[in-house]
Amino acid sequence: LNAKSTYPYFMRTIPSDEAAAVAVVDLLISFGFTRCTVVHVVDDYGSGYATAVADACQSNGLVCESIGFETRNQASIATAVDLVAASPTRIIFGIVYDEDLEPLLYSALARNLTSNSFKYGDDDARRSDDDDRALDPRSTDDIGGSSSTSSSSSGGAFWVFSDSISAATVTGLSGDAREAVAGGARVYATGAGMDDPVDTRFKRAYVEPRADEYNVALEPAEPHALVTDAELALGKTYDVSNYAYDAVAAIGLAACSIAAAGGDALSGEALLEALYATHFRGTSGHVVFDGASGSRNATSANYVVENFRRGAADD
């Protein structure tokens, strides 16, 4: 979708995989890591994301190799993990789907390539002795929390996963797989404004209307896409809500700037040019568009690093 020759009018407020790759590599650099292996599902999403991570690594002087596997194929997953075991790199970025996570972890467990036994300070994970930013697999907090202390356990591999797996899937892993992922992490973009007052006001306003007021604008959507009063009563919003709101706001602001200058706000060319010049404080943070691709500028998006940690009941 970033190919402007094919989609010249495509723009988005949600960051692209290329932008997420920059965030992933920034994380690795912040830990002092100098190389990584990308283990990815072989399809348009996985291969494209893996290429973006490799490009970001190259731009920042990190060594990167990619290993692909077929989704829902245990033999292919096992072969990929064998290749990881044969590599000197123990910093792994996984681009996998929910259904592939547990088979992958069991294969890693059989080869002592799990995050809970990873030792910081290996050749592929150099950092200074006083750097305490690494994630702690020994924490007794629940899986899905965050941590910022270092580990000194031996062997293993440090796994960081993309947003293609969900926190619910990690929480629902069986005992051995759940133990194997402890100490690993997940990196994903978030539409939430990170305690921003604008995001707080948006969340409050989001749940004020009744369900029927929302649904009249959604018709003729499928029943599963409609909102219920019970859902609104939970007071919950979703990242996509922030991105969608900011997309509409961006078009409105661009159209207003054209009209103020006496131009034609219905002109596609004029609107596109105005959108590229538009930047504002939205519900998903500071919205800026990349001039080359039309996607959200990588530096204006918010990302979360979620550390998977042992729960007290599992110790």
Side-chain angles (χ1 to χ4, degrees):
L1 292 175
N2 282 346
K4 301 309 292 182
S5 58
T6 306
Y7 305 102
Y9 292 98
F10 176 78
M11 301 184 75
R12 54 184 163 188
T13 54
I14 189 169
S16 65
D17 291 338
E18 286 79 5
V22 173
V24 170
V25 173
D26 282 348
L27 175 67
L28 300 182
I29 292 172
S30 74
F31 289 158
F33 299 150
T34 59
R35 65 181 72 181
C36 75
T37 295
V38 181
V39 176
H40 66 93
V41 61
V42 178
D43 62 9
D44 289 344
Y45 165 72
S47 299
Y49 201 159
T51 298
V53 172
D55 290 344
C57 282
Q58 183 177 23
S59 298
N60 288 277
L62 276 68
V63 177
C64 179
E65 62 176 326
S66 296
I67 299 173
F69 68 89
E70 297 177 9
T71 184
R72 301 175 183 269
N73 186 323
Q74 179 63 62
S76 181
I77 291 172
T79 297
V81 176
D82 282 338
L83 291 172
V84 171
S87 167
T89 304
R90 290 297 177 264
I91 311 302
I92 318 298
F93 181 59
I95 307 171
V96 307
Y97 296 131
D98 285 337
E99 58 268 27
D100 297 318
L101 180 60
E102 190 156 308
L104 178 71
L105 291 173
Y106 275 113
S107 290
L109 186 63
R111 296 159 180 80
N112 192 29
L113 292 173
T114 58
S115 293
N116 65 354
S117 58
F118 175 66
K119 179 181 179 181
Y120 292 94
D122 291 343
D123 288 343
D124 58 355
R126 272 189 218 98
R127 63 192 192 97
S128 61
D129 291 337
D130 61 351
D131 186 349
D132 66 352
R133 292 171 294 178
L135 307 180
D136 185 2
R138 299 168 299 161
S139 169
T140 57
D141 292 327
D142 290 340
I143 283 180
S146 61
S147 176
S148 61
T149 56
S150 63
S151 165
S152 59
S153 54
S154 61
F158 180 44
W159 287 83
V160 180
F161 293 95
S162 72
D163 60 355
S164 55
I165 64 167
S166 65
T169 296
V170 174
T171 303
L173 290 170
S174 65
D176 287 344
R178 184 181 173 91
E179 175 70 12
V181 80
R186 182 169 71 112
V187 179
Y188 59 94
T190 178
M194 310 296 284
D195 298 323
D196 190 305
V198 175
D199 177 52
T200 300
R201 292 197 299 271
F202 170 73
K203 285 180 168 58
R204 188 181 305 119
Y206 186 92
V207 298
E208 286 180 353
R210 300 187 313 274
D212 57 352
E213 294 179 276
Y214 273 114
N215 292 334
V216 70
L218 293 175
E219 294 176 352
E222 295 294 327
H224 68 81
L226 300 178
V227 180
T228 67
D229 286 314
E231 289 173 323
L232 293 177
L234 295 175
K236 183 177 181 180
T237 60
Y238 301 89
D239 282 353
V240 67
S241 307
N242 294 68
Y243 292 130
Y245 184 92
D246 287 347
V248 174
I251 294 173
L253 290 170
C256 287
S257 68
I258 296 172
D264 180 9
L266 297 180
S267 166
E269 293 290 344
L271 191 59
L272 184 66
E273 182 179 354
L275 278 168
Y276 276 118
T278 298
H279 56 88
F280 61 98
R281 184 181 178 186
T283 67
S284 62
H286 188 208
V287 179
V288 182
F289 296 105
D290 181 82
S293 67
S295 291
R296 178 76 167 261
N297 186 290
T299 61
S300 74
N302 295 318
Y303 290 89
V304 171
V305 180
E306 185 176 69
N307 186 199
F308 302 136
R309 304 183 297 181
R310 296 187 182 101
D314 299 323
D315 286 355

